[in-house]
Amino acid sequence: MTLDKTTSLEQLPDLVPPQATVALGGAWFANHPMAAVRELIRAGRDDVHAVALLGSIDVDLLIGAGALSRLTFGMVTLEAFGLSVNLRHAVQEGRLPIAEIPALSLQVALEAGGRSVPFLPLRGPVGSDLVALHPEVFGTATSSFGEEAMIVRALRPDVAIVHALRCDSAGNAQFDGTYGQDPELAKAADRVIVTCEEIVDRAEIAREPHMTKIPGFLVDAVIEAPFGAHPCSHVPRYGLDAWTIHSYQEAALAGGETYAAHVEQLRSESESEYRERVIGEHRGRVLEALVEAAVVLEEE
Amino acid sequence: MTLDKTTSLEQLPDLVPPQATVALGGAWFANHPMAAVRELIRAGRDDVHAVALLGSIDVDLLIGAGALSRLTFGMVTLEAFGLSVNLRHAVQEGRLPIAEIPALSLQVALEAGGRSVPFLPLRGPVGSDLVALHPEVFGTATSSFGEEAMIVRALRPDVAIVHALRCDSAGNAQFDGTYGQDPELAKAADRVIVTCEEIVDRAEIAREPHMTKIPGFLVDAVIEAPFGAHPCSHVPRYGLDAWTIHSYQEAALAGGETYAAHVEQLRSESESEYRERVIGEHRGRVLEALVEAAVVLEEE
Amino acid sequence: MPDYEIQELMICRIAAEMTAEGEHITLMGSFTPLAYAAYMLGKLTHASDAWLAGYNAVGMPAIELSFTGAEPAAYKAATSRASFTENGHLFHLGTRGLLECVSSAQIDGTTAINLSAIGPYDRPKVRLPGGAGAPEVVQNYRKLVAYFSKHDRRTLVPVVDFATGRRTPVGREQRDALGMATNGPVLIVTPLAVLRKDDDEAPFAIESAHPGVDPETIVAQTGFELTVPTQVPTTTEPTGAQLALLRERIDPRGTARFDFLSGAERMSYLEQILDAEWRRAEALVAGSAEVAS
Amino acid sequence: MPDYEIQELMICRIAAEMTAEGEHITLMGSFTPLAYAAYMLGKLTHASDAWLAGYNAVGMPAIELSFTGAEPAAYKAATSRASFTENGHLFHLGTRGLLECVSSAQIDGTTAINLSAIGPYDRPKVRLPGGAGAPEVVQNYRKLVAYFSKHDRRTLVPVVDFATGRRTPVGREQRDALGMATNGPVLIVTPLAVLRKDDDEAPFAIESAHPGVDPETIVAQTGFELTVPTQVPTTTEPTGAQLALLRERIDPRGTARFDFLSGAERMSYLEQILDAEWRRAEALVAGSAEVAS
């Protein structure tokens, strides 16, 4: 196979059409495609409809930098560091249209999209006020057997962006630690962009075929982005940079010029300049060591 | 974890309730749970409702030995060696009630069972006469969005029996080569029996977590059965014993006393006696070498 | 009687709900110290055969609590991996989920939890994070525990501003009839008491009051109707063995205390813990540099 | 013009349908030599970027044909694994399936194939194997080729005894309107000719006659109506390079000839091939025994 889908991070914004619905991989503080998020901000995007199942700093930063025109989400939180400041402000001030969809229902809606079926039944969030609020997502189906089931309607994002551990040039993307629902995002989206810690040969992929969670035929573009989830974790390569997230949240809470300067800094530098400035050699090693430092209490 | 679900092959028939619907793992000539099939025959069962998506000698032998009261299947074939002789005779003579369900629809029906949803929509076998023949499986669902979709109704077998490469005592079952739709059988069935080439420690499972295709919480019983798929293949441990299948088919074609003697022989011996008689040391090594002998034309 | 902090008592009470129940499994997502501590305590004591999953790691063993270490630890000795969607169908949307511990900004007497908005939903006073998978999970798991670091009428409210999720029905018979998983009441565990709801038609009742808390205080601090039994039992206190496990092995840096602090104290406590986590990792880097030189 | 056997011409014609089409993929199940040969020939020549899956092995490279070796070879250099159910949703039941080659006992002019029963379904004269996933696959793949080792009125029949599966609709516009994958007509490839159907309302037409076969023979041997163009093209013959690839690399033991034999000759041919496969494996055992001693 001679397929070469590799491109550079700088090209990524061109692969995201205007007003595109973009599903972002990762979950909570794990494995969001942060290099891609930064690049969309560098490109000055203000038209992205983000789909974030379990978002954190990815979504907060996109909102803060004015990159989103709309947000579909299950949760956005900075966990121990507090609420998502930019989500709060944008929604409380009526500046950002949102669709809050319970995350498992959103997963199944995306799964339906990936299967090319119009809807899927599920044991859904009966009792949630979000059901009545989103008649475009939740419905019921009556079968010829006489059963009635709650359903979610298929969702097909224009683009999915996920961050993998490694990937070959044909798009076979491997993960070892957290991969959330990234495979289902890739199946559902029309265009799939994989950023990865490193691009490797096909032979290296074939040595661990069980780690390929997204097969290459689903993938359109492959971009090498070391520390591409930073400051989120990418287990087992590196842990969460909680300290950088803490500083970020302080800037977000300060708001105003402090936060504007933070965004401006990101815009003014390339991704490799970002790595040099924020991560550097020593911090990079410590972040890697967080994985080794984590303690299992019983190997059983 | 101290869970110990291990038991012996001799106990397997007791784990299959009378008149149970039993889904059999594997596909075509790969990875059927043949040691379990032989043990059901040794126990003199005549009441099994087998569910075989892509059956071969497993189903033919069960029919030939009179073990089935009913068969739900997508395909049963001895491929190059010919039609399934015992299926032919049993159906042509009206001795075996069958439900022929297109295999992908059957997979989705089992998937629905594993998800605890009443049905799943699919781009099904429109144009097949089997749809009208099986109104208990195929139907339609109309959504509140106005879409109509073909659906299959959920199927929950009483028992699933699958053959894994290795398994720990808690039931974490690993596969490397062909595993067909064994994971979905395990999710759908009320009781799950895993036979495996070898029982290993939890630590050995944890070293290759991506190969665990059936997590232990789904599994009820774990049985060590070396060459437990024989004469089918279990890649990468051993290839197809095409020669033994050829002899079997000759016995099936001869029928009458010749075939009865074949079944009687299986009944009169234990599984380890079977291994000694049919496989032995040299044949075992050759079957293992078939995997190494297989040729890839381009590593790409 | 050993000295203990209130979150330790809450952890021990929740851990009692953590049981090994065959094919049922408990899945953990983002790092919520109190819930994690309860799961680990159960797993290291009476429920060693309980199945746990963390993130995409299924069959994980007990781990040490840590803001940066919980996720990597989950993977280290787990027996399998699965996509969230696959696990979603098995546990969260199926019938194999065991114990869900959820915390929210508000809860009311119907079991409705609010993780969405304080004030009007469309133009809220406080936009909250959203419920992640809680709306489905509270509905489908066998057992549901809602826990709170405060017990007051702003948290346990007459009616939530918005129901992000709700368990309905609650009653065992009604759930059985619908083929829904169940094994017990809905519990609310707070710094004052354990409340339980067994029946859709009846209010929450006080199951037990924590030592030194009188029922009147609990009622006064609760915004919804409570049934008060004539004899209110006292919540079982942590044993020395439980406290030792929690303090020495499960949560040596005290992450579970974090949610019980507020304001500046809270942030400086977090910074302390994170400093310790950094130093541990940095020591490993220094150690390997030494070996290399 | 090189000498060739009829199955080689058929393989080359089918291989022409094997194209690299982005996200589309071709999945192989049980070992069917002629179809496998066509896939491999395409992959080794013009369609090197085409995606192939075999059994649970996705992203497999081209392999040598063998009754015992096809399955293990599929795994050896594949880039991923997936359950049949997962692949089913992506390819067979989705819109990402590329090329399906199917063989059946009967086919008729509506594209109905019979893999179920000759004679009455409930009490058949011959109970056939069943269609496996063919009923769904013939309906959903972009391209469908039905191939047969015989071209006669017992195989290409007026109406199948039973429609195990059928492609409906066939026409590109009708399929596009339904959101169904399509890229071309339904082809029938036989030892006499290539037939094609583009339109639900029109019969199959002769696309080409194999060298030396006249259209009248084709019509006479076909049980359903055929459109015969005024100029019937001749099927392109295999090139020397294609034949060399097939004979030397893809199918050195000639497994694809097997389906074109019958009776005793067929079984003895199979035995010969299996003998060779046994000897190759046995030599490896002897080789490693030598090394070990």
Side-chain angles (χ1 to χ4, degrees), chain C residues 28-48:
Chain C
M28 293 169 293
S30 63
F31 180 59
T32 46
L34 189 132
Y36 267 62
Y39 298 139
M40 298 314 153
L41 183 59
K43 181 107 174 100
L44 287 178
T45 54
H46 57 277
S48 65

Side-chain angles (χ1 to χ4, degrees), chain A residues 68-91:
Chain A
L68 299 193
S69 62
R70 186 172 173 78
L71 173 66
T72 297
F73 73 108
M75 178 179 245
V76 177
T77 174
L78 268 76
E79 302 189 15
F81 305 97
L83 296 174
S84 166
V85 174
N86 287 301
L87 175 70
R88 274 195 68 171
H89 291 168
V91 175

Side-chain angles (χ1 to χ4, degrees), chain A residues 81-253:
Chain A
F81 305 97
L83 296 174
S84 166
V85 174
N86 287 301
L87 175 70
R88 274 195 68 171
H89 291 168
V91 175
Q92 291 169 203
E93 294 158 19
R95 284 187 283 110
L96 181 69
I98 59 166
E100 179 185 2
I101 311 294
L104 291 154
S105 301
L106 192 47
Q107 279 181 18
V108 179
L110 288 159
E111 189 185 32
R115 289 183 174 198
S116 316
V117 293
F119 59 81
L120 280 174
L122 79 169
R123 291 177 172 238
V126 178
S128 169
D129 289 346
L130 294 168
V131 174
L133 213 57
H134 291 289
E136 78 286 6
V137 174
F138 291 101
T140 56
T142 308
S143 84
S144 52
F145 304 116
E147 298 126 339
E148 191 176 273
M150 181 185 267
I151 60 170
V152 285
R153 206 171 193 185
L155 180 64
R156 294 204 63 133
D158 299 308
V159 180
I161 308 180
V162 303
H163 185 69
L165 179 60
R166 51 182 174 253
C167 193
D168 67 12
S169 62
N172 294 297
Q174 298 195 326
F175 299 74
D176 190 5
T178 298
Y179 56 101
Q181 58 285 306
D182 291 4
E184 287 72 26
L185 300 186
K187 288 170 188 169
D190 285 338
R191 179 173 292 168
V192 177
I193 303 172
V194 175
T195 64
C196 60
E197 291 296 314
E198 56 179 330
I199 293 175
V200 299
D201 286 347
R202 183 190 189 285
E204 195 169 332
I205 297 291
R207 269 198 292 279
E208 298 278 5
H210 297 273
M211 287 172 66
T212 306
K213 304 302 180 189
I214 302 176
F217 63 90
L218 296 175
V219 172
D220 297 281
V222 178
I223 294 168
E224 191 167 82
F227 279 102
H230 182 272
C232 296
S233 58
H234 189 82
V235 174
R237 193 61 71 99
Y238 46 88
L240 174 68
D241 190 344
W243 306 271
T244 294
I245 288 179
H246 188 28
S247 314
Y248 171 84
Q249 180 74 339
E250 285 178 337
L253 285 163

Side-chain angles (χ1 to χ4, degrees), chain A residues 27-30 53-54 73-77 79-83 87-88 91-94 98 100-108 111 121-130 133-134 176-181 183-184 213 233 235 239-243 246 250 282-283 285-287 289-300, chain C residues 29-31 43-44 48 55-56 59-64 67-69 71-73 75-77 81-86 88-89 92-95 115-116 121-133 135-137 139-140 162-166 168 178-180 249-250 258 266-267 270-271 274-275 277-278 280-282 284-285:
Chain A
W28 298 297
F29 276 146
L53 287 110
L54 302 163
F73 73 108
M75 178 179 245
V76 177
T77 174
E79 302 189 15
F81 305 97
L83 296 174
L87 175 70
R88 274 195 68 171
V91 175
Q92 291 169 203
E93 294 158 19
I98 59 166
E100 179 185 2
I101 311 294
L104 291 154
S105 301
L106 192 47
Q107 279 181 18
V108 179
E111 189 185 32
L122 79 169
R123 291 177 172 238
V126 178
S128 169
D129 289 346
L130 294 168
L133 213 57
H134 291 289
D176 190 5
T178 298
Y179 56 101
Q181 58 285 306
E184 287 72 26
K213 304 302 180 189
S233 58
V235 174
L240 174 68
D241 190 344
W243 306 271
H246 188 28
E250 285 178 337
H282 180 66
R283 174 172 292 264
R285 287 212 191 130
V286 174
L287 296 178
L290 287 173
V291 177
E292 188 188 342
V295 175
V296 172
L297 292 178
E298 30 153 28
E299 295 288 333
E300 306 198 49
Chain C
S30 63
F31 180 59
K43 181 107 174 100
L44 287 178
S48 65
Y55 304 85
N56 299 95
M60 62 173 274
I63 59 167
E64 183 189 285
F67 287 101
T68 60
E71 185 207 359
Y75 287 95
K76 284 196 176 184
R81 302 279 189 270
S83 156
F84 283 12
T85 304
E86 188 182 339
H89 287 298
H92 304 315
L93 301 167
T95 55
L115 285 151
S116 297
Y121 185 85
D122 285 338
R123 204 61 184 266
K125 186 161 159 280
V126 185
R127 171 63 231 190
L128 299 167
E136 297 93 346
V137 168
Q139 178 65 341
N140 290 321
F162 187 86
T164 310
R166 188 195 321 255
T168 176
L178 292 166
M180 301 178 80
R249 300 192 66 207
I250 295 171
F258 170 70
R266 181 177 159 91
M267 271 302 130
L270 178 59
E271 282 166 14
L274 290 178
D275 275 352
E277 296 190 15
W278 177 274
R280 182 161 72 174
E282 202 171 37
L284 289 172
V285 174

Side-chain angles (χ1 to χ4, degrees), chain D residues 9 14 32 49 53 65 134 141 152 156 161 183 187 203 211 226 250 269 271 279:
Chain D
L9 176 138
I14 297 172
T32 46
D49 286 344
L65 271 51
Y141 267 46
D152 58 33
L156 286 67
D161 292 0
N183 186 19
L187 294 183
L226 278 183
I250 295 170
Y269 188 77
E271 283 164 13
R279 284 195 306 272

Side-chain angles (χ1 to χ4, degrees), chain A residues 21-65:
Chain A
T21 299
V22 181
L24 298 169
W28 298 297
F29 276 146
N31 202 28
H32 292 300
M34 292 302 296
V37 162
R38 286 185 286 269
E39 202 64 30
L40 288 169
I41 289 168
R42 289 182 192 116
R45 295 298 286 262
D46 61 2
D47 61 339
V48 172
H49 172 186
V51 177
L53 287 110
L54 302 163
S56 62
I57 192 171
D58 54 336
V59 176
D60 191 84
L61 177 58
L62 284 166
I63 297 172

